[in-house]
Amino acid sequence: MEIAQQRVLSLDAFRGATIAGMILVNNPGSWSAVYPQLEHAAWNGWTFTDLIFPFFLFIVGVAMVFSFAKRKEAGADTRRLYRQVVTRSAQIFLLGLFLNSFPFGLLFGHHFDLATMRIPGVLQRIAVCYLFVSFIYLNTSLRAQLVWLGSLLAGYWMILMLVPVPGYGAGVLEPMGNICWYVDAHLLAGHTWSGAPAPGFDPEGIVSTLGALATTLSGALAGLWLRSNHSKEERTSWMFVIGNACLLFGTILDLWMPINKNLWTPTYVVFMNGWALVCLATFYWLIDVQQYRSWAHPFVVYGMNAIAVFMLSGIVGRLLVLVKVTSPVGTAIPLKAYLYEEVYRTIASPLNASLLFAITFIIVMYAFVWGMWKKQWFWKV
């Protein structure tokens, strides 16, 4: 993210905490030994892990408000902002494709085939949401943005419930038979995530991006509130109030449409907006209002180089699986499995050993971004 002249330090800390959470859930020592809260909900419902991606998108929305304000103050006109948005979106999308494909069949027996390369992904969805929400934000008033948000949520609800899927009908919200699955399976055939709940489905697919756009736009509205002329105490209070209202409203809506991360349902948007606002308000109150900052420094360091640590953690995580070493019984096993079994399993139970491996991964990644922070190196995309 861009480094503003007057940073909202709590936003950096919130971003950094989200990155640390992502590393924690993405890098267990063994996927067969993971605490339930550190895995995604199988379909409906939510866990701690299901907070992370909507937090990323919400933060993207908040940050764009401050970034655009800084660029306008520096003299950038609207056309220049458009070019920057398109360029940045393309770069983030390409970084996502790079992570999906690394190491391109060139190292350690990795298989790569353009015909089956996954096209969607986390960074790809961030890129698309940043692109569209930026254009909405730059071209509309606050009232129009609220209309956009309501229209995205209502429109997506109607698409999920009213558009019939051939062979299944309308309103199917199971892994196979929903409209998101149908569109992905046909338009992205062969290029979806192999670990998805149903063949042909992708959790970062085409139609469900409508929900993700609503999450990002919600973040932009929160960013506008943070830049308002209201006192810091009032900003904090209203974020808590609206956040808790969203949590309550999302829980009620769950009676009609489930909270579902894979489909990124409108209910999931509302509910996760609530958590995002409550968490951001907590960080804002502690760091920017009460000035309790020392505890948050590691998160700030993470947050100021979010893209760098995201890329590095993805690359290292992939290499730990691809690089093979000889086990004590003479068989070739992934380096990650070797470390888990020969180091962490010797000191803890399977679940705790797996968790300790993930915590070690967080610490190693922190050492990398701390070094960048000390040298004032910030990777801007």
Side-chain angles (χ1 to χ4, degrees):
M1 297 298 175
E2 296 291 338
I3 301 173
Q5 293 172 346
Q6 294 184 340
R7 301 189 71 89
V8 178
L9 204 63
S10 56
L11 184 59
D12 286 322
F14 186 27
R15 185 190 297 114
T18 303
I19 283 282
M22 178 210 72
I23 295 172
L24 179 71
V25 303
N26 282 355
N27 297 279
S30 171
W31 285 107
S32 63
V34 181
Y35 282 103
Q37 285 297 315
L38 300 182
E39 290 188 287
H40 288 292
W43 188 244
N44 294 331
W46 64 284
T47 66
F48 167 80
T49 303
D50 295 308
L51 296 170
I52 292 171
F53 197 6
F55 280 14
F56 270 130
L57 289 177
F58 190 89
I59 291 165
V60 167
V62 176
M64 73 168 57
V65 173
F66 288 89
S67 178
F68 289 145
K70 175 193 170 185
R71 293 176 188 181
K72 287 181 178 179
E73 290 168 4
D77 58 18
T78 303
R79 183 172 295 181
R80 182 179 175 188
L81 289 177
Y82 289 164
R83 289 197 301 269
Q84 291 173 337
V85 165
V86 172
T87 300
R88 186 166 189 253
S89 299
Q91 290 173 339
I92 294 173
F93 196 95
L94 290 173
L95 287 174
L97 291 179
F98 176 89
L99 274 184
N100 282 359
S101 307
F102 179 83
F104 304 95
L106 302 175
L107 299 171
F108 313 115
H110 176 252
H111 174 73
F112 174 72
D113 186 351
L114 280 173
T116 58
M117 179 185 73
R118 185 189 177 201
I119 295 175
V122 170
L123 288 178
Q124 293 90 314
R125 173 161 281 183
I126 290 174
V128 171
C129 289
Y130 174 74
L131 176 67
F132 282 96
V133 175
S134 292
F135 277 91
I136 292 172
Y137 175 76
L138 290 171
N139 289 282
T140 61
S141 64
L142 173 59
R143 178 174 295 183
Q145 289 161 25
L146 290 169
V147 171
W148 265 102
L149 178 59
S151 299
L152 284 167
L153 292 173
Y156 184 36
W157 187 301
M158 288 188 289
I159 288 171
L160 287 172
M161 300 306 295
L162 301 178
V163 176
V165 174
Y168 293 88
V172 176
L173 298 178
E174 297 302 317
M176 188 173 290
N178 63 78
I179 187 63
C180 300
W181 161 80
Y182 181 79
V183 172
D184 291 344
H186 285 77
L187 296 186
L188 297 174
H191 296 282
T192 55
W193 183 42
S194 60
F201 179 81
D202 198 292
E204 281 78 56
I206 296 171
V207 179
S208 61
T209 299
L210 291 171
L213 289 171
T215 299
T216 311
L217 184 55
S218 300
L221 293 170
L224 283 170
W225 175 247
L226 282 176
R227 293 194 75 249
S228 70
N229 293 324
H230 297 278
S231 68
K232 289 182 176 180
E233 290 78 9
E234 190 173 359
R235 294 176 214 164
T236 306
S237 298
W238 276 107
M239 282 194 290
F240 274 122
V241 169
I242 297 173
N244 279 286
C246 287
L247 289 173
L248 175 60
F249 190 41
T251 302
I252 295 171
L253 288 176
D254 185 58
L255 297 171
W256 290 276
M257 177 173 287
I259 295 170
N260 185 299
K261 186 266 178 189
N262 284 287
L263 294 174
W264 213 285
T265 56
T267 309
Y268 177 75
V269 174
V270 173
F271 189 74
M272 290 303 165
N273 280 352
W275 275 119
L277 280 167
V278 167
C279 291
L280 178 58
T282 302
F283 276 79
Y284 186 72
W285 173 253
L286 290 172
I287 297 171
D288 290 308
V289 179
Q290 296 298 313
Q291 300 291 305
Y292 299 139
R293 297 187 167 185
S294 57
W295 67 273
H297 181 69
F299 295 133
V300 172
V301 171
Y302 257 125
M304 292 178 73
N305 258 313
I307 290 291
V309 74
F310 190 103
M311 293 296 295
L312 181 68
S313 64
I315 291 170
V316 173
R318 181 71 61 87
L319 290 176
L320 285 173
V321 174
L322 291 176
V323 175
K324 300 294 193 297
V325 297
T326 303
S327 71
V329 297
T331 59
I333 61 173
L335 176 58
K336 180 179 180 178
Y338 178 87
L339 292 172
Y340 171 69
E341 292 292 340
E342 301 302 321
V343 178
Y344 292 90
R345 279 287 287 114
T346 64
I347 58 176
S349 65
L351 283 172
N352 288 329
S354 189
L355 178 60
L356 283 172
F357 183 96
I359 292 172
T360 303
F361 206 104
I362 291 174
I363 294 170
V364 171
M365 292 298 105
Y366 177 74
F368 170 75
V369 290
W370 181 84
M372 293 184 67
W373 176 81
K374 286 290 288 184
K375 294 182 178 295
Q376 293 294 288
W377 292 345
F378 302 105
W379 187 12
K380 303 176 186 179
V381 175

